[in-house]
Amino acid sequence: LAGEDVAALKVSGASAFAGKSLAEINMRRSYEVAVVAVRRGASIISNPDGDTRILAGDILVAFGQPDRVEALAGLLNPEK
């Protein structure tokens, strides 16, 4: 898919998204980025649904336009 980017994005404890579900964040609609997997420690949640909560320390595998993915990275890890 031309122009799309896939990135592994770490969620920091300072992120406003930590502790919220994907449905609460409404990531696909609000940020135009799809989360295709969540790595939590040694576990991987593939194709997470809206009930999946995002926790500090999670790594999100995100798919979308490079500028959108970069903007999301800044929200997930605002300390950088």
Side-chain angles (χ1 to χ4, degrees):
L1 297 163
E4 301 292 322
D5 208 2
V6 176
L9 309 174
K10 187 164 186 174
V11 181
S12 81
S15 175
F17 295 158
K20 294 187 177 179
S21 71
L22 288 174
E24 289 175 296
I25 298 167
N26 203 6
M27 201 164 294
R28 196 175 298 223
R29 183 165 300 193
S30 298
Y31 302 98
E32 298 177 6
V33 174
V35 175
V36 296
V38 177
R39 181 176 193 115
R40 182 169 295 150
S43 299
I44 295 178
I45 303 166
S46 59
N47 197 25
D49 63 21
D51 293 332
T52 302
R53 289 211 173 272
I54 302 305
L55 305 178
D58 282 353
I59 297 175
L60 308 185
V61 179
F63 176 80
Q65 293 290 322
D67 61 329
R68 297 298 185 162
V69 172
E70 186 176 334
L72 180 61
L75 295 170
L76 292 171
N77 196 353
E79 300 157 338
K80 277 190 159 182

